[in-house]
Every structure is written in structure tokens, then in C-alpha cells.
Amino acid sequence: MDNFLKKAIELAIENVKEGGQPFGAVLVKDGEVIAEGVNELHIKHDISGHAELLAIRRAQEQLQTNDLTGMTMYASGFPCPMCFAAMNFAGVERVYYCASLEEAKSVGLGKSAVIYEDLQKQPEERLLPMVCMELEEGMENPMRLWKEFNKKNLL
Ligand SMILES: [Zn+2]
């Protein structure tokens, strides 16, 4: 096993000993650790306080960029859909993980598996239904506005 993944697992173990969930993450670029994180749900009222997201947030603050192209995430457990999306948005290029979704589920941490399954359904049929409501006549459209602003910026 890779040393970076070993580090992520060590972070997860330390976190459990401190009362947290068994998740640690290490973000790496060109063989160097850029940032680390552990699941902080036991110390903060912040549902986004997942190991991977905190590592991403720290790296972006430190480097003053949203672009983490070329980085690799080492996560002690299979990332949840929120962290997976954040890694995609940030440009993280690969993820190595150890514990599977099934293993997490077997110890009572099964929400990620439920959400991944739910994402296979149509938006309005999900456990958390997403319902589209269209703009009413005369309302300004933020998407079109953004496109107009962007065109102006390109001139
Ligand atoms: Zn997550």
C-alpha cells in the first residue's frame, strides 16, 4: 500500500480515538502532501466537514485557487457523493481509497451508499426529491444574465 494512503488511514485511526468518524484524507501533488483532513462532524456543526472536503478547502486557501488539477486524493474510505463532486469541480485527477462503501455500511456508516443509489433515480423520484419550477413570465433569468455578462467579459 502507498505511504500516502497509509497516512490517510493513520489520520482516520487518530480521529476515531478522538471521538470522530473513521475518515482521513491526504491531498498530494507531484509526490508532496499539499493538505490533509479528517472528518470533523464530531467537533463542528458543519455537514460538509468531511476529510476530503477539508483537505480540498485547505489546499485551495493555501494556494489561492479553485483549480487542483494534477492532484491525487488518498482517502481512508470510499468518498461520499459530496466529496466526489467537490473533487470533480476542483479538478482532482485520481482517488485512491481503502475501505469500501459496503464496509462503511457494515459499521453503521451507510448514508453514502444510500445517496449513490438514490442518484440513479430521476430527480423527482429520489428520497430527497428535486422538483423543477420554471421561471414566470417577466422574471429575470440568472443563467441568461450570466451568459450576457460573460460575452461582455470576452469582448
Ligand atoms: Zn464526503
Side-chain angles (χ1 to χ4, degrees):
M1 180 185 283
D2 195 289
N3 281 335
F4 295 124
L5 192 51
K6 282 183 184 165
K7 177 64 183 171
I9 293 165
E10 282 170 22
L11 289 170
I13 289 168
E14 282 168 35
N15 203 44
V16 170
K17 289 177 179 171
E18 289 169 15
Q21 293 186 10
F23 300 106
V26 178
L27 194 53
V28 173
K29 185 171 188 181
D30 299 328
E32 274 187 50
V33 175
I34 304 297
E36 297 176 349
V38 295
N39 187 296
E40 293 188 355
L41 296 188
H42 62 302
I43 49 176
K44 282 184 187 164
H45 294 291
D46 176 6
I47 204 67
S48 70
H50 285 194
E52 302 92 322
L53 258 177
L54 294 176
I56 287 170
R57 201 173 286 157
R58 287 177 186 132
Q60 292 181 331
E61 281 171 6
Q62 185 189 316
L63 303 171
Q64 290 293 293
T65 180
N66 291 332
D67 183 8
L68 302 182
T69 299
M71 295 204 189
T72 301
M73 184 70 81
Y74 294 83
S76 65
F78 193 91
C80 78
M82 172 175 68
C83 292
F84 177 70
M87 290 188 285
N88 261 286
F89 281 128
V92 171
E93 293 185 354
R94 187 177 290 266
V95 181
Y96 293 98
Y97 69 94
C98 183
S100 66
L101 280 181
E102 290 71 28
E103 191 174 359
K105 199 174 174 181
S106 75
V107 298
L109 296 166
K111 188 74 177 181
S112 288
V114 170
I115 296 171
Y116 273 116
E117 201 174 302
D118 205 35
L119 285 171
Q120 306 297 318
K121 300 176 194 160
Q122 290 300 313
E124 65 277 6
E125 293 167 0
R126 293 176 187 158
L127 296 171
L128 194 170
M130 297 171 72
V131 180
C132 181
M133 299 181 85
E134 302 200 356
L135 289 174
E136 289 173 17
E137 206 173 307
M139 290 174 73
E140 195 169 25
N141 183 329
M143 290 291 175
R144 287 205 189 118
L145 185 66
W146 184 88
K147 192 176 177 188
E148 281 167 30
F149 271 58
N150 225 35
K151 270 184 197 163
K152 284 175 197 163
N153 291 341
L154 291 173
L155 291 176

